[in-house]
Structure formats: C-alpha cells, structure tokens
Amino acid sequence: EGNPFYIEELLNYLQVRRINPKEVTALEALDLPDSLNSLILSRIDQLSEVQKNTLKIASVIGRLFRAALLWGAYPELGDGAAVQSNLDALSRMELTILDTPEPELAYIFKHVVTQEATYESLPFATRARLHTQIGEYIEQVYADSLNLYTPILAYHFGHGLNEDKKRHYFLLSFSDATQKYARGAATAYYERALPLVPCVNMNVAML
C-alpha cells in the first residue's frame, strides 16, 4: 500500500480525466496532485454528490462496513437499493469492494489509506455528528444484544457528541476488558473515562 498504490491512484487520476499516459505534452500540462492523499481526494471530487456522501459516511463506520448500517444510520442516502447501487459504482471504481454477500452485505475500503483520507476530509463537527448517529442506530437495532457491541459503541460515542453515552460505554468497555484480563484495553478505556467522571471509583487493582 505504498508506491504501488500511489502509482495505481495516479493512473486512475489520469483515466478519469481521459489522459493517455503516453501523451507527453498532455502530462506536462497537467498539474498533478503532490501526495497520495491529494490523489485520493481528487478522485473523490469526481464522484456524484450521493456517491461522495456514501463514501464519507462509510469512512466514519470504518474500513469494513455493513451496507445496512449506511441507510439505517443515515436515511438521507436513500433506501437499500439506492445505497447498494452507489456501493456497486464505488466498487467498479475500486474505492470499495464487496467483502461479504447477502444477507450480511458488507463492503471494505480497498485500501485503508482511502478510508483514512476520506474520513479526515470531513470537518470534526460532521464526524462527531455521524459517529453519534451511528451509535444511536446500533443501540436501537441491537437493543437485545448490546453487550456484543460495547467496544463498537464506545468507539462511535467516544468520537461523538453525547457525553453521557461516551462515559457509559467507556465504563462498560473498561469493565469488560478488565474481566477478560485485557490490560492494555482496560487501561485505555479507564484513562478515557476518568476525565468524564471526576469522582469515579473504579478498581484498577485488577490491572
């Protein structure tokens, strides 16, 4: 995912602009992006608005994402058929690729750099709002088995706007990691929860 990926993205950049790499004059006149992130963002700029939004929201979910989470957490993208159509288009452009077929339809960013660049292009406030929406959707859909999603909820609410949810899932994740003797994870959750609960009394002796 280093130089070969950069070359791949560079060729995609030329292809989108219908520039023949063998045409020296055309290449010399072209103002090429000066970094891999710039190349990726240039490709994203060529997408339709709904494709851009689909890719950006997917980047907030993570490198691997379930399609149902997209239209569930962000209904503005359209229904399942519309979202899948856009995902198929993104796959043809090799930005995302199918990871798991129906019924657990899931896609993955072909390169982690694409997911990171897309995510970082979003304003902080937008990322926080989307993380909160995704966390709330997971709570609603998986209400009967939230214990299975505690770390995911801690991740999304941890980057979101709801301080109560953030504290709640940090503490739950701390407790879960402690019981599993996952010292590194437990310490990380404890340190993130501590500023949110000034008078917290958590037994760290288990660490």
Side-chain angles (χ1 to χ4, degrees):
E1 300 194 5
N3 289 333
F5 182 40
Y6 180 84
I7 294 170
E8 181 181 332
E9 287 300 299
L10 185 58
L11 291 173
N12 285 325
Y13 179 85
L14 297 176
Q15 183 180 40
V16 167
R17 287 158 179 77
R18 297 181 179 179
I19 296 173
N20 186 339
K22 296 180 180 180
E23 294 180 1
V24 179
T25 303
L27 291 177
E28 290 177 344
L30 189 63
D31 185 16
L32 291 172
D34 58 3
S35 69
L36 179 55
N37 275 21
S38 297
L39 275 171
I40 293 169
L41 295 178
S42 294
R43 287 195 67 199
I44 294 173
D45 284 342
Q46 303 302 311
L47 303 175
S48 69
E49 283 303 312
V50 68
Q51 289 170 348
K52 287 181 190 176
N53 290 335
T54 300
L55 196 68
K56 289 176 179 179
I57 295 164
S59 76
V60 177
I61 297 172
R63 185 179 181 188
L64 176 66
F65 57 93
R66 290 186 61 186
L69 195 51
L70 281 170
W71 63 74
Y74 200 83
E76 293 90 338
L77 290 176
D79 60 17
V83 173
Q84 188 168 348
S85 175
N86 286 311
L87 288 172
D88 289 342
L90 294 173
S91 291
R92 287 193 295 272
M93 290 179 270
E94 296 190 328
L95 291 167
T96 62
I97 55 177
L98 180 67
D99 181 80
T100 308
E102 295 279 13
E104 301 293 328
L105 186 63
Y107 290 77
I108 188 171
F109 280 83
K110 184 177 178 181
H111 294 280
V112 66
V113 181
T114 304
Q115 185 252 328
E116 291 173 347
T118 306
Y119 180 80
E120 290 169 4
S121 72
L122 293 168
F124 178 83
T126 301
R127 296 200 306 250
R129 175 174 55 81
L130 290 172
H131 277 298
T132 301
Q133 285 183 224
I134 292 166
E136 290 173 347
Y137 177 75
I138 292 172
E139 279 188 320
Q140 294 171 8
V141 174
Y142 302 104
D144 296 333
S145 54
L146 283 183
N147 60 306
L148 300 177
Y149 297 90
T150 297
I152 296 175
L153 289 165
Y155 170 74
H156 285 298
F157 283 119
H159 289 83
L161 303 168
N162 191 317
E163 294 295 306
D164 290 337
K165 296 286 187 181
K166 187 181 298 188
R167 178 175 58 250
H168 176 68
Y169 286 108
F170 281 167
L171 292 174
L172 282 181
S173 296
F174 163 77
S175 177
D176 182 61
T178 299
Q179 292 174 13
K180 294 176 180 176
Y181 298 99
R183 296 185 179 183
T187 300
Y189 285 124
Y190 174 80
E191 291 175 346
R192 297 186 71 184
L194 192 58
L196 302 172
V197 193
C199 298
V200 68
N201 180 21
M202 294 188 288
N203 182 9
V204 295
M206 296 179 68
L207 301 179

